[in-house]
Amino acid sequence: HGWNVLPQQHARTSLDILLGQFKSLPVLLLGVSAVLSVLTGGLSEALAIGAVLALNAGIGFAAERRAESTIASLSELIDDVVPVIREGRVQEVQASHIVAGDMLVLAPGVRVAADARLVQTNGMMVDESALTGESRFIEKSTAALPSDVPMADRLNMAYMGTAVAAGTGLAVVVGTASNTEIGVVQSLMERTEQPKTPIQKQLDRLGSQLVTASVGICAGVFAIGLLRGMGWLQMLKSSISLAIAAVPEGLPTVATTSLARGIRLMKQKQMLIRRLQAVETLGAIHTICLDKTGTLTMNRMSVVDVRLDSIDYDVVDGVVHWQGAPVQADADPTLSRLLQVCVLCNEGEAQHHHGSPSAVMNGSATENALIALALGAGISVSEMRERHALRHTALRADDRNYMATVRALPDSERHLIAVKGNPVEVLALCSSWLCDGLPVALTEERKAALLEQNHRMAEKQLRVLAIAYAETAAPPDNSAITNLVWIGLVGLADPLRTGAAQVIAELHRAGIRTTMVTGDQRTTALAIGKSLALNNGRALHILESDHLERIAPSALTTLVAQADIFARASPARKLEIVRALQASGEVVAMTGDGINDGPALQASDVGIAMGLHGTDLARSAADVVLEDDRLETVLEAIGEGRTLTVNIRKSLHFLISSNMSEIITVLGAISAGAPSPLSPMQLLWVNLLGDVMPAIALAAEPAQDDVMQQPPRDASQPLIGGDELKRYARESVFLSGGALTAYFYGLARYGVGARAGTIAFNALTLGQLLHALSCRSDRPGILSGRGAQGNNKLNLAIGASVGLQLLANLVPGLRGLLGIGPMGAMDIATVLAGAGVPLMLNEAVKKTAVTKRAMTE
C-alpha cells in the first residue's frame, strides 16, 4: 500500500507565482498597448510599458513568495515513532512505515498513526476534535457496530491524526495514508477550488469596461481624423496614444503595492497572509463562520466549578475562588481532601523546566485540568505523590465508568483509595459524605440532593466528575471498592477564548453576521451560542447537520442564511454550508484549526486558520493564518481590509479621472482640427512616473475613525459606480479644459510644434498632481490646508513627481526623449493657471455638493 504518509498539498512553484502576476486584465491591456506601439515604430514606448509590467510582477512575486515560504516553515513534517506489536513483541516503528495488519499499542499521549479497528480497550478515551469537531473525549469500545454508523459514532475505530486521552488499547490497522478518514478529507480539499476575491472580480469588470471604452474612442478618433483628411499613419499613432491614455498603467502597481503593504502590516500583528488579495477580501466579509473547537474555545479542558456539601466554589484560570478571593488548599479540610484525590487518582504529570515559571502537562486534558486545579491551590504534586506511594490503578473500563487508585498512607500500614468518575456510579459506591471535613452517613435525601447538584451542573454543559475516597487497612481489589466517602463534584469545560464574546459583539457592530459551526450536539452548541450572544439580540436559530441531507437544494440557501448555529457538522457538511452561503451572494469567511475544517477553509472567500495550535492541513488550506491564535486579530485585519478598499477607491478615483482628462485633451484637440498635444511617450511619462507615486501614496491613507462602524461593502456592486464615474468625468473635464486652454494659447503664440505641446504637457501633469490632494476626500478643505494633513507620504509623492517634471524640462536627454521645447515666463504662468484653476473649480463643486446634502438632511 505504499508509505503511510498523506500526499502533501502541492505548493505553488516560483514559476506559478510569477505567471500569476500577468493574469489581470489591466496587465493584459498594457501588453496590447505595447504590441501596438511596436507595430507603429514606437519601440521606446513599448520598452517603457514592459518596464512597468516587470516592476509590477516583481512586487507581487516577492510578496507572495515570502508568504509561501513562511507558511511552509509552519508545516514541517515530523515522522512520529509509535509502538506496534510485530512478531509477538512490542516494537518502535516510524509512523510512515505502518501497514495494514499492524497492531497499534495505544496509551495516553500516543497519536494514532493510521485508521484502526479496536480489539482491546481499558478505559480508553480518544480526542477526535481535530477530525470531527467534538470537544469532548470519545470513550471507545470493541463492540461490533452496523456498517452505516456515522464516523463520529464509530466507537470501535481509532482514526489517523487523533490522540489517546486516557486509558489503553490495542487496534488492528485497516487503512493507511490516503485510505484513511483524513485522506478522504484531504482529497475533498484537492477538488475544491478557491473563489475569486471581490477586488479581482471588480478589477476584471473595470478592465472590460476600459477595453470597450478604449476601442470605441480609438476607432472614433481614427475615423474623425480620416474624415478631416489626415494621414492614416498619423491617425493610427494618435489612436495608440489614446489607447495608452485610456489604460491606467499605474493601476496594477498600485493594487499590488497596496496589498503587499497590507501583508506587511498584518505580519506585524501576528497574521500571515498567504494571498495578496485576501487582505482586501477581509474588508468585504458579510458572514463569518466560526469553528467552535480550537477557535472560539481553547480546545483544552479546565475546571470551572467545584461543589462541596453546601459550598459552591468558582474556579477562575485554574484557581479556586470563594466570594471573589483565591482559596488555598488548607483553608477548607473538605477542599483539601478533594484536591488530594485529584492529584492521586491521576495519571498525568506536571513537569517544571528550569527557568520556566509554569508547569508542562503531559496527561489527558481532563487530568491536566485537575492537576492545574491543585497547583493553583498551592499543592506540590510531586511531593504529595512521593508521600503516597502508588500500589494499584484501576482504569475506567466498559463496565466501570470511574477510575480508582490505591495509595500507601505515609507512616502507616493503611491505604488510601482515591476515586473519580461518573457521579451516579461513584455515588452508588458511597456510604457517607464529607461535611465540614468529617464523614457523615448518607441518607436518601442527601443522595437525591447530590444527584440534583450533578443535574444542575450538567445543565450548564459541564463535564461533571464525582470525587470520593476511603481509608482501609488492606489494599482492596477492584470488586471490593465500596463504602467510599463522597467528597464533592468537579465541573469541567472547554473554556471560551478570552475576549471571544467581545470580538463577536464588535463584528456585529461592523455589520458582519456571525455563525458557529461545530461538531457538538445541539444542547452544547446552544449553550455556547447563548454565552457568546451569537444572535445579536435575536432568538437563536440552530440547524443540525443531519437535517441538511433532507433539505431540497432550492431551500438550502434560504435556511442556511437564517441559521446562527450549525451543529454536528462533518467536513463535507461544513463545505456545503459555506457554498450555500456563497450562493446567496455573501462574502464568507471561515475560521478553523482542525483537519475537519480544511475543505471549508479552502472553499470560503477567506479561510482563517489558527497557526499556533492548528493542524498542518488547516494552515495549508487557509488564506490567512493567525500566528498567535488571537481571535481579536481578525477584527484588526477586517479594519485593515476595509481601509485598503477605501484607499484603492481613492487611487482609482485619481487614476481614472486623470486618464479621462488625457483622453479628453487628445480627443478635444483632434476634434478641433489641431494635432494631438501629447505624444505617446509624454502620455506614458504622465501615467507611469507622474501618477503612480501619488496613487500609491493615496493607497496608504490612514484608517477612518468609523471604519468598523460601517456595514461591509456590497461585493455585487461595482467598485466604481455610475455616480462616481459622472463625478470623475466632471473633474476630468475641468483638468482637460485647463490643459486645452494652455495648448491653444501655445498654438496661438508659437504655432504647431513642440513649444505648444510642452505647455499643454506641463499644465496637464501639474493639474493631475494637484488633483491628487482633492482625491483624498469627498469633502472640501484642500485649499485651506486641512486636506493635506495626516498623510505625509502623499505630500512627499507629489513633491517627488513635481521634481521629476522639473527634470524632464531641464535635463537635455529627457527633453529630447519627451519632445519638450523651451518655456518663457508667460508660458510658466499659463501652465500654473491651467493647473490651478481646475483644482479650485473641483473644490468649489465639492463644497456646493456638501451644502446641498446638508440642506437635504
Side-chain angles (χ1 to χ4, degrees):
H1 296 115
W3 298 101
N4 181 35
V5 176
L6 290 172
Q8 295 299 299
Q9 290 272 306
H10 295 293
R12 289 191 299 166
T13 65
S14 297
L15 182 60
D16 290 335
I17 297 173
L18 182 61
L19 293 178
Q21 311 306 316
F22 297 95
K23 293 181 179 179
S24 67
L25 272 176
V27 170
L28 293 177
L29 289 173
L30 286 176
V32 171
S33 298
V35 172
L36 290 174
S37 296
V38 171
L39 294 176
T40 56
L43 182 60
S44 56
E45 290 91 339
L47 291 174
I49 295 174
V52 172
L53 291 176
L55 175 64
N56 174 67
I59 294 173
F61 174 82
E64 293 195 29
R65 187 60 185 164
R66 184 165 55 248
E68 287 288 334
S69 299
T70 305
I71 203 71
S73 68
L74 291 174
S75 304
E76 295 178 354
L77 291 176
I78 299 176
D79 194 2
D80 292 334
V81 176
V82 295
V84 301
I85 295 178
R86 287 182 177 177
E87 300 176 351
R89 62 186 179 88
V90 178
Q91 303 180 30
E92 297 290 331
V93 177
Q94 288 183 325
S96 60
H97 292 186
I98 296 295
V99 296
D102 269 332
M103 182 79 75
L104 300 180
V105 180
L106 303 176
V110 172
R111 187 168 295 276
V112 182
D115 284 7
R117 171 66 160 85
L118 290 163
V119 296
Q120 179 181 314
T121 62
N122 181 18
M124 196 175 84
M125 302 189 74
V126 178
D127 179 4
E128 295 183 347
S129 59
L131 183 61
T132 66
E134 286 271 14
S135 60
R136 66 183 181 89
F137 297 147
I138 307 301
E139 185 174 1
K140 295 296 184 176
S141 72
T142 60
L145 295 170
S147 59
D148 58 350
V149 172
M151 180 187 69
D153 296 328
R154 297 173 197 162
L155 303 182
N156 57 9
M157 289 291 297
Y159 297 111
M160 183 180 188
T162 63
V164 179
T168 59
L170 297 176
V172 178
V173 174
V174 297
T176 59
S178 298
N179 295 319
T180 61
E181 291 294 341
I182 290 181
V184 172
V185 173
Q186 190 169 60
S187 65
L188 186 62
M189 284 175 51
E190 291 174 351
R191 298 194 301 268
T192 304
E193 294 184 2
Q194 292 178 325
K196 282 190 174 183
T197 66
I199 200 169
Q200 285 176 316
K201 298 173 184 176
Q202 299 289 355
L203 289 178
D204 285 349
R205 189 178 299 121
L206 181 61
S208 299
Q209 293 170 348
L210 289 173
V211 169
T212 303
S214 177
V215 171
I217 292 171
C218 292
V221 169
F222 187 77
I224 290 173
L226 293 181
L227 290 174
R228 287 185 171 274
M230 298 181 181
W232 70 270
L233 183 58
Q234 176 187 357
M235 290 313 305
L236 183 58
K237 290 183 177 182
S238 297
S239 298
I240 292 173
S241 298
L242 279 178
I244 294 174
V247 180
E249 285 87 348
L251 179 58
T253 302
V254 169
T256 304
T257 303
S258 302
L259 294 170
R261 178 177 178 272
I263 283 182
R264 291 196 305 273
L265 292 175
M266 289 298 96
K267 177 64 177 175
Q268 295 170 5
K269 299 174 183 177
Q270 301 298 302
M271 176 175 278
L272 180 65
I273 307 296
R274 300 189 67 225
R275 289 194 302 148
L276 282 176
Q277 290 81 5
V279 181
E280 184 271 340
T281 312
L282 282 164
I285 292 172
H286 293 90
T287 298
I288 182 166
C289 298
L290 297 160
D291 173 60
K292 192 215 76 175
T293 305
T295 302
L296 292 174
T297 67
M298 302 296 293
N299 196 18
R300 65 169 184 260
M301 301 297 288
S302 64
V303 178
V304 296
D305 195 2
V306 174
R307 187 66 187 248
L308 307 177
D309 51 65
S310 60
I311 300 177
D312 192 1
Y313 288 105
D314 294 323
V315 181
V316 181
D317 295 330
V319 178
V320 180
H321 284 71
W322 170 247
Q323 295 182 343
V327 177
Q328 292 297 305
D330 55 5
D332 180 346
T334 305
L335 176 63
S336 178
R337 178 67 82 173
L338 179 138
L339 294 172
Q340 180 191 45
V341 173
C342 287
V343 171
L344 298 180
C345 185
N346 197 314
E347 287 190 302
E349 294 183 3
Q351 298 177 347
H352 290 271
H353 296 291
H354 179 70
S356 175
S358 59
V360 177
M361 311 289 187
N362 64 355
S364 70
T366 299
E367 297 193 328
N368 288 345
L370 296 176
I371 290 179
L373 181 71
L375 291 173
I379 291 177
S380 173
V381 173
S382 59
E383 290 181 6
M384 180 174 286
R385 289 179 173 175
E386 287 176 2
R387 292 198 309 270
H388 299 78
L390 180 64
R391 295 288 186 255
H392 176 68
T393 299
L395 295 173
R396 293 175 58 164
D398 292 343
D399 58 346
R400 185 179 61 251
N401 201 11
Y402 60 86
M403 175 184 175
T405 61
V406 178
R407 299 267 183 175
L409 288 171
D411 303 324
S412 172
E413 297 296 325
R414 296 174 63 80
H415 293 82
L416 172 70
I417 304 173
V419 177
K420 72 174 190 294
N422 179 275
V424 176
E425 293 190 30
V426 173
L427 184 60
L429 302 174
C430 295
S431 59
S432 58
W433 64 289
L434 208 59
C435 179
D436 294 328
L438 298 175
V440 177
L442 264 175
T443 64
E444 293 301 321
E445 290 79 10
R446 173 53 56 182
K447 287 184 178 181
L450 294 177
L451 290 175
E452 178 61 24
Q453 290 178 7
N454 171 53
H455 178 68
R456 288 199 300 268
M457 292 176 70
E459 283 185 331
K460 299 177 183 178
Q461 306 306 318
L462 300 179
R463 182 185 181 199
V464 186
L465 293 177
I467 308 297
Y469 82 102
E471 293 185 4
T472 64
D477 56 30
N478 293 345
S479 62
I481 298 178
T482 57
N483 294 321
L484 299 178
V485 180
W486 176 279
I487 303 174
L489 295 169
V490 174
L492 301 97
D494 183 6
L496 293 174
R497 287 188 180 274
T498 304
Q502 180 64 28
V503 169
I504 289 175
E506 292 290 339
L507 289 170
H508 291 162
R509 277 192 283 272
I512 298 173
R513 176 176 166 241
T514 57
T515 65
M516 185 174 72
V517 185
T518 177
D520 282 336
Q521 302 284 350
R522 179 186 183 93
T523 52
T524 303
L526 272 173
I528 294 175
K530 289 178 181 178
S531 65
L532 290 171
L534 273 175
N535 53 353
N536 195 18
R538 297 178 291 101
L540 277 173
H541 294 278
I542 186 168
L543 185 63
E544 294 188 75
S545 178
D546 295 343
H547 295 167
L548 295 179
E549 298 178 359
R550 301 189 292 271
I551 298 174
S554 57
L556 181 61
T557 299
T558 302
L559 288 176
V560 167
Q562 295 173 349
D564 301 297
I565 299 173
F566 301 96
R568 299 291 286 171
S570 65
R573 292 289 173 252
K574 290 183 180 183
L575 175 61
E576 190 174 355
I577 290 165
V578 167
R579 284 177 168 166
L581 287 169
Q582 290 172 326
S584 65
E586 297 185 12
V587 177
V588 181
M590 174 75 194
T591 70
D593 71 326
I595 296 164
N596 62 318
D597 302 316
L601 285 170
Q602 185 158 316
S604 62
D605 295 282
V606 183
I608 304 172
M610 301 294 136
L612 191 60
H613 295 106
T615 60
D616 289 344
L617 196 72
R619 288 195 293 259
S620 66
D623 305 297
V624 179
V625 177
L626 305 182
E627 294 184 300
D628 56 3
D629 286 6
R630 290 180 63 251
L631 202 57
E632 292 85 350
T633 311
V634 176
L635 284 174
E636 299 174 1
I638 292 174
E640 185 63 35
R642 290 186 174 189
T643 299
L644 178 71
T645 301
V646 171
N647 289 346
I648 286 181
R649 286 168 62 91
K650 292 178 181 179
S651 297
L652 282 174
H653 177 185
F654 171 66
L655 289 171
I656 292 176
S657 56
S658 295
N659 280 45
M660 289 176 69
S661 69
E662 296 162 17
I663 294 172
I664 295 173
T665 299
V666 175
L667 184 59
I670 293 176
S671 299
S676 173
L678 302 170
S679 68
M681 186 57 73
Q682 288 175 340
L683 286 169
L684 278 172
W685 176 271
V686 174
N687 288 345
L688 303 182
L689 299 180
D691 291 351
V692 170
M693 286 189 290
I696 292 175
L698 280 170
E701 282 280 299
Q704 300 172 354
D705 294 336
D706 61 347
V707 67
M708 289 301 287
Q709 279 72 52
Q710 301 295 323
R713 182 176 63 84
D714 187 351
S716 65
Q717 297 299 314
L719 198 62
I720 304 296
D723 292 339
E724 285 87 354
L725 285 175
K726 290 178 183 178
R727 186 168 80 249
Y728 300 170
R730 184 197 64 230
E731 293 169 351
S732 63
V733 166
F734 290 151
L735 288 170
S736 59
L740 283 172
T741 300
Y743 180 54
F744 288 127
Y745 155 80
L747 288 176
R749 182 169 183 180
Y750 303 113
V752 175
R755 299 192 67 174
T758 298
I759 296 172
F761 171 54
N762 283 290
L764 184 62
T765 302
L766 184 57
Q768 290 180 358
L769 293 176
L770 294 177
H771 183 56
L773 293 172
S774 185
C775 292
R776 288 196 62 203
S777 173
D778 292 337
R779 295 183 174 273
I782 300 299
L783 298 181
S784 64
R786 293 194 302 272
Q789 295 176 359
N791 190 358
N792 290 329
K793 292 181 180 179
L794 180 60
N795 299 332
L796 292 173
I798 292 175
S801 295
V802 170
L804 286 173
Q805 192 66 16
L806 288 174
L807 289 176
N809 282 272
L810 297 175
V811 176
L814 283 176
R815 291 181 58 174
L817 180 65
L818 296 172
I820 293 178
M823 289 196 303
M826 189 62 185
D827 301 338
I828 295 175
T830 302
V831 167
L832 295 176
V837 171
L839 176 64
M840 291 186 286
L841 291 174
N842 283 324
E843 285 296 300
V845 172
K846 283 202 296 186
K847 184 175 182 180
T848 302
V850 170
T851 303
K852 287 183 178 180
R853 282 199 300 269
M855 292 177 64
T856 301
E857 294 173 357

